[in-house]
Amino acid sequence: MANVSIQLKTPITGEYKQPTGLFINNEFVEGAKKQTFEVINPTTEEVICSVHEATEEDVDTAVAAARKAFEGEWRRVTPQQRGALLLKLADLVEKNLDLLAAVESLDNGKSISMARGDVGGVAGCIRYYGGWADKIEGKTIDISPDMFHYTRREPIGVCGQIIPWNFPLLMLAWKISPALATGNTIVMKTAEQTPLSALVFASLVKEAGFPPGVLNIISGFGKTAGAALSAHMDVDKIAFTGSTLIGRTIMKAAASSNLKKVTLELGGKSPNIVFNDADIEEAISWVNFGIYYNHGQCCCAGSRIYVQEGIYDKFVAAFKDRALKNKVGDPFHPETFQGPQVSQLQYDRIMGYIQSGKEQGATVVTGGDRHGDKGYFIQPTIFADVSQEMKIMQEEIFGPVAAIAKFKDEADAIRLGNDTAYGLAASVHTKDLNTAIRVSNGLKAGTVWVNCHNMLNHALPFGGFKSSGIGRELGELALDNYTEHKSVAINMAGKLF
Ligand code: NAP
Ligand code: MG
């Protein structure tokens, strides 16, 4: 019997069984090459365990399993039954919330309170799409008395899904839920940094009663397993969340293989705009949450903060006080707000950006260094007087680093807000409703928050303008990512026109 699980411990759940195999056909199995890779705890920099690695051959096996399920058993499952399976899965996620959250904190380093929030969001998202499963409707279209026309919405087929490490379980839920609700089958590759929670989740997929092959989850590397999935000739659709650079690679692989459908949720450099008339205390709380939530490892992080001239100095001083109150440390401490960054690589990237901010002459208001002496912890960092061309104002840092600059008036705010290749999100803080609406309309972003930030919900479409992606996840719109529309035209006249 292959060794596909291990006993692990978390500080809040004690011992639990951690699956380590590839989840294919509802079983945990070793990879074809019998390779494994180490999973690191970002809080201690120690190895947690090793998991089996999927290579190209395993991607083939998983795709074949998903194809067989799609053409076979899954096709005969009614929409109502699909919905019921998703609802059951959502219940199981809630039942196992403590374990899933603890594994997420252990592997990713996010604080336990946020991990619990994530897992609640996972259950909510799965349940929301469970409700959609039997509401996927076509139309009848009247064109001629001799013809009967209707449209059907059909599943696309085998979907490849590639997710990042910043919200391991939540990104999984955003992707699998609409795909399963609409009758597709899936091969998902998790991020190499954070494979553990998805494997615990996989055992719940089996427990919920999904037929074998419907949802396959493999651990592995982007360059091998991810590349094989996005170039696979028998994968009908690929959905990706991650960097813009790899998003382009995925699109090229799709174009040069079988032109599989592509949806991309990529990076951002979202502006957070604070007007003179904003409630300054409230605005600072949201700006703080906007940039430091999930340690800044958020595609929609409000990383560019534009503050109107009249309140600039007061804002910078008060924001510093607020940032210093964020509790940084052990993710398992109930009051921790910010844990470590996910990996040494991300830590080094972020420290490189901090160095560049200093070299390019931005003012360090607070932070700018590592926190503690062990783990990938970085101090909440604020740069003020950042000019538009500085690297820290242009590039996605994906860490706890805020860049602040001044603006004059509304036109200036919109111009600066839009001066980026990205267009994922933005926020506006003002008490004037007309300003809020005009600025929201003027910003080229998939989501605009007014007097808040990072307020996502599975019922609201989410995705990017410009280089932030293609397509929308969540809400009713995500169903479109996973259905083909078929027009059926029936000739009732029985003769050639
Ligand atoms: P990434 O390389 O884009 O990783 C995202 C996912 O894509 C991972 O599962 C990754 O596998 C996979 N991947 C990598 N190369 C691939 C390829 N050639 N073909 C198919 N799949 C591939 O992101 P990263 O290196 O972890 O982070 C780099 C930067 O990306 C961050 O600093 C941040 O700016 C941005 N990012 C954005 C998001 C977001 O939510 N939009 C999330 C994460 C990162 P591996 O696990 O092997 O890397
Ligand atoms: Mg890890």
Side-chain angles (χ1 to χ4, degrees):
M1 183 62 192
N3 189 5
V4 288
S5 71
I6 184 174
Q7 287 297 117
L8 287 182
K9 234 200 231 166
T10 76
I12 56 169
T13 58
E15 279 220 354
Y16 76 98
K17 183 177 164 186
Q18 172 64 56
T20 56
L22 310 175
F23 185 70
I24 300 176
N25 261 328
N26 274 3
E27 301 299 336
F28 290 102
V29 295
E30 291 182 318
K33 291 213 163 77
K34 313 237 180 290
Q35 287 167 191
T36 60
F37 63 95
E38 290 179 339
V39 183
I40 307 292
N41 179 341
T43 307
T44 60
E45 304 180 41
E46 285 161 9
V47 176
I48 303 171
C49 65
S50 289
V51 296
H52 290 274
E53 179 194 338
T55 56
E56 199 174 335
E57 223 177 311
D58 304 303
V59 170
D60 285 343
T61 308
V63 170
R67 174 59 60 195
K68 185 160 176 251
F70 181 72
E71 305 298 348
E73 196 175 349
W74 192 230
R75 235 166 222 261
R76 290 186 295 276
V77 171
T78 65
Q80 290 83 351
Q81 289 167 328
R82 286 203 305 264
L85 283 167
L86 284 164
L87 298 186
K88 177 104 188 279
L89 182 57
D91 288 347
L92 285 172
V93 167
E94 265 168 1
K95 203 173 136 197
N96 290 277
L97 191 144
D98 285 341
L99 175 63
L100 289 164
V103 175
E104 202 76 315
S105 287
L106 181 75
D107 194 4
N108 168 281
K110 67 174 68 197
S111 70
I112 190 67
S113 61
M114 284 181 203
R116 293 178 68 86
D118 282 11
V119 179
V122 169
C125 181
I126 296 172
R127 192 169 284 134
Y128 170 80
Y129 283 103
W132 269 114
D134 60 358
K135 297 166 194 72
I136 315 292
E137 297 170 348
K139 282 184 174 176
T140 61
I141 302 166
D142 190 10
I143 294 171
S144 153
D146 292 327
M147 296 287 293
F148 175 49
H149 298 91
Y150 65 92
T151 62
R152 266 170 68 76
R153 296 180 72 181
E154 299 183 1
I156 295 178
V158 175
C159 300
Q161 302 185 324
I162 299 176
I163 55 168
W165 41 262
N166 51 344
F167 294 90
L169 279 174
L170 202 58
M171 292 302 101
L172 175 146
W174 286 17
K175 292 218 168 5
I176 64 158
S177 306
L180 293 175
T182 45
N184 298 274
T185 60
I186 297 168
V187 178
M188 161 159 298
K189 188 197 89 65
T190 53
E192 66 180 85
Q193 298 84 352
T194 53
L196 298 186
S197 56
L199 295 174
V200 176
F201 177 89
S203 47
L204 305 181
V205 170
K206 185 172 181 179
E207 191 180 338
F210 283 87
V214 170
L215 174 53
N216 307 280
I217 300 178
I218 58 178
S219 316
F221 296 97
K223 278 190 184 136
T224 48
L229 195 57
S230 45
H232 205 288
M233 292 302 286
D234 202 31
V235 169
D236 303 301
K237 189 236 151 65
I238 189 97
F240 169 77
T241 297
S243 62
T244 301
L245 182 75
I246 300 299
R248 289 181 204 276
T249 309
I250 302 261
M251 206 158 173
K252 282 185 202 148
S256 55
S257 55
N258 60 347
L259 272 177
K260 52 181 68 64
K261 312 281 175 273
V262 180
T263 41
L264 302 173
E265 202 269 90
L266 308 175
K269 190 74 185 172
S270 300
N272 213 325
I273 299 168
V274 187
F275 281 88
N276 284 338
D277 72 340
D279 178 328
I280 195 157
E281 280 300 304
E282 283 300 316
I284 284 168
S285 294
W286 285 110
V287 166
N288 184 67
F289 184 67
I291 180 61
Y292 299 123
Y293 169 64
N294 210 39
H295 331 165
Q297 303 169 140
C298 233
C299 48
C300 50
S303 49
R304 292 185 295 141
I305 299 150
Y306 297 108
V307 182
Q308 202 165 10
E309 286 171 336
I311 55 163
Y312 184 83
D313 293 335
K314 190 174 159 198
F315 180 95
V316 171
F319 181 31
K320 174 184 174 179
D321 292 346
R322 181 66 191 78
L324 286 170
K325 288 193 185 120
N326 294 337
K327 191 170 163 30
V328 183
D330 176 10
F332 284 99
H333 191 288
E335 277 160 30
T336 294
F337 176 71
Q338 185 185 312
Q341 307 308 126
V342 76
S343 65
Q344 181 74 53
L345 184 66
Q346 285 302 118
Y347 173 89
D348 291 342
R349 272 185 190 149
I350 297 160
M351 291 309 283
Y353 278 112
I354 289 176
Q355 189 54 31
S356 105
K358 290 175 179 169
E359 281 166 14
Q360 291 193 303
T363 309
V364 181
V365 177
T366 184
D369 220 328
R370 73 169 297 139
H371 168 95
D373 51 15
K374 196 176 66 166
Y376 312 125
F377 291 92
I378 297 180
Q379 295 171 343
T381 298
I382 301 175
F383 281 104
D385 312 321
V386 183
S387 57
Q388 201 56 21
E389 70 287 350
M390 287 183 192
K391 251 172 90 169
I392 56 168
M393 197 55 118
Q394 288 297 331
E395 296 180 20
E396 184 174 46
I397 300 175
F398 230 61
V401 183
I404 315 187
K406 253 180 221 169
F407 73 90
K408 283 194 177 51
D409 54 19
E410 196 177 302
D412 200 26
I414 294 173
R415 179 185 64 78
L416 290 166
N418 287 334
D419 183 20
T420 168
Y422 294 112
L424 192 60
S427 58
V428 188
H429 302 266
T430 173
K431 285 195 196 121
D432 185 326
L433 187 59
N434 295 332
T435 307
I437 294 172
R438 280 194 306 266
V439 176
S440 303
N441 290 350
L443 290 167
K444 296 189 170 78
T447 296
V448 180
W449 290 293
V450 176
N451 295 328
C452 58
H453 198 95
N454 283 341
M455 294 299 284
L456 299 161
N457 186 282
H458 46 253
L460 291 173
F462 181 72
F465 282 33
K466 304 198 281 186
S467 298
S468 286
I470 297 178
R472 292 290 178 272
E473 298 203 285
L474 304 181
E476 184 179 358
L477 280 182
L479 301 170
D480 254 357
N481 297 339
Y482 291 99
T483 46
E484 293 278 21
H485 292 254
K486 180 182 279 178
S487 293
V488 181
I490 300 174
N491 175 8
M492 298 184 294
K495 59 180 169 48
L496 189 65
F497 288 100

